[in-house]
Amino acid sequence: MLFLLLAIASSSAISLLLRAGSRHVKNNMAMFATNYFVCLLCSFFFLFDHLRPASLGGVPFCFGLGLVSGFFYLFTFVLNQVNIGKNGVVLSAVFMKLGVLVPTLMAVVVYKESLRGLKAVGFGLALAAIVIINSGAKASAQGNSDAAPETSLKGSVPFLSGSGLLLVGLLLSSGFTDSLANIYEQNGAAALKDHYLFFTFLFAAVFSLLIGKLKKQHFTLTDAFWGVLIGVPNYFSVRFLLAALHELPATLCYPVCNAGTIVVISAVGVLLFKEKLTGRGKVGLGLILIALILINLG
């Protein structure tokens, strides 16, 4: 249970640190690059014991899928940062965790898994929650003197507004990234999982540097500092979850981790960052917590 709690803490820390550093970081790609280099170093440490796997035949697959995954890891991180500024850390975390809908749907369409029972109910509740939240949720930074003007979303979040589309985009991007991991689980070599993570972080770092170069961004100590702070929980959120799965059933780990992360981020977002949700937003949040549990249990 300790590893599961650490996974929740690490996953929550990523979004909360992005929110806390939003006013301090000037070069976001420099921060992202530092974050992924930290992940890369941590990944190499665990890779060391598997430098001579029984079969190297799966390395090209790790390389190719890691390239695609690295791009979407970065893209999801950028979308998450933008959403935190526009919609607040609470709604951003909720929709990021709702990305589980995408690999669930992919499992039905591509791998011919059935969508019925608890999973079907959870899927329906999640879709209903998306509509409810997008039709009347709002995140506010009122009362927080440190909040940047853009962190306050005044009024509602119409389903097809820019803010609403950003949330749906985060859901799809996060879900597609999770789907890539599912593709590896289905087709990759189990002995090369650490290689897959290594290539994912490597390409995410490379893409960060390339985009930063195109945007003419420069590294500063502040950017690097926040990158290190985010990079440590970013890597260990994955490592702790894997350790928890080794001790506890997946039917317990995934729903508790997803729901627990949303609860922690919501509590800190309200208490520390003074974010608020409308009545519809609270109803949607409750439905999403139930939906995530049902989807994972199904």
Side-chain angles (χ1 to χ4, degrees), residues 129 131-137 156 277-287:
V131 174
I132 291 172
I133 287 177
N134 274 286
S135 65
S156 62
L277 289 174
T278 61
R280 289 184 181 182
K282 292 176 182 177
V283 171
L285 178 59
L287 287 177

Side-chain angles (χ1 to χ4, degrees), residues 127 130-136 157-165 168:
L127 293 178
I130 291 173
V131 174
I132 291 172
I133 287 177
N134 274 286
S135 65
V157 185
F159 189 72
L160 293 179
S161 72
S163 298
L165 289 176
V168 175

Side-chain angles (χ1 to χ4, degrees), residues 157-266:
V157 185
F159 189 72
L160 293 179
S161 72
S163 298
L165 289 176
L166 279 173
L167 288 169
V168 175
L170 179 60
L171 183 157
L172 294 175
S173 179
S174 173
F176 184 72
T177 304
D178 289 341
S179 295
L180 291 173
N182 189 32
I183 289 173
Y184 186 83
E185 286 291 335
Q186 297 287 340
N187 302 283
L192 297 177
K193 281 185 180 180
D194 285 312
H195 293 69
Y196 169 65
L197 283 177
F198 178 83
F199 286 127
T200 294
F201 292 131
L202 172 64
F203 284 115
V206 170
F207 286 132
S208 300
L209 290 174
L210 289 176
I211 296 173
K213 187 71 174 177
L214 290 174
K215 294 176 68 175
K216 297 182 179 180
Q217 292 188 358
H218 304 284
F219 277 87
T220 68
L221 287 177
T222 301
D223 301 328
F225 172 75
W226 285 99
V228 171
L229 283 184
I230 294 169
V232 173
N234 190 18
Y235 178 80
F236 281 100
S237 63
V238 178
R239 180 56 59 181
F240 286 139
L241 181 58
L242 291 175
L245 287 169
H246 185 70
E247 296 182 346
L248 301 168
T251 52
L252 172 66
C253 289
Y254 285 115
V256 170
C257 187
N258 287 340
T261 299
I262 290 176
V263 170
V264 171
I265 291 177
S266 298

Side-chain angles (χ1 to χ4, degrees), residues 32-33 35-37 39-41 43-44 47 59 61-77 176-178 180-182 184 192-208 234-235 238:
F32 288 138
N35 149 68
Y36 284 120
F37 274 118
C39 293
L40 193 63
L41 289 174
S43 180
F44 183 77
L47 183 72
V59 170
F61 181 71
C62 293
F63 183 91
L65 196 64
L67 189 153
V68 178
S69 182
F71 173 81
F72 278 97
Y73 258 59
L74 175 61
F75 184 64
T76 301
F77 236 130
F176 184 72
T177 304
D178 289 341
L180 291 173
N182 189 32
Y184 186 83
L192 297 177
K193 281 185 180 180
D194 285 312
H195 293 69
Y196 169 65
L197 283 177
F198 178 83
F199 286 127
T200 294
F201 292 131
L202 172 64
F203 284 115
V206 170
F207 286 132
S208 300
N234 190 18
Y235 178 80
V238 178

Side-chain angles (χ1 to χ4, degrees), residues 5-15 232-238 240:
L5 294 175
L6 290 173
I8 293 172
S10 298
S11 184
S12 302
I14 298 169
S15 292
V232 173
N234 190 18
Y235 178 80
F236 281 100
S237 63
V238 178
F240 286 139

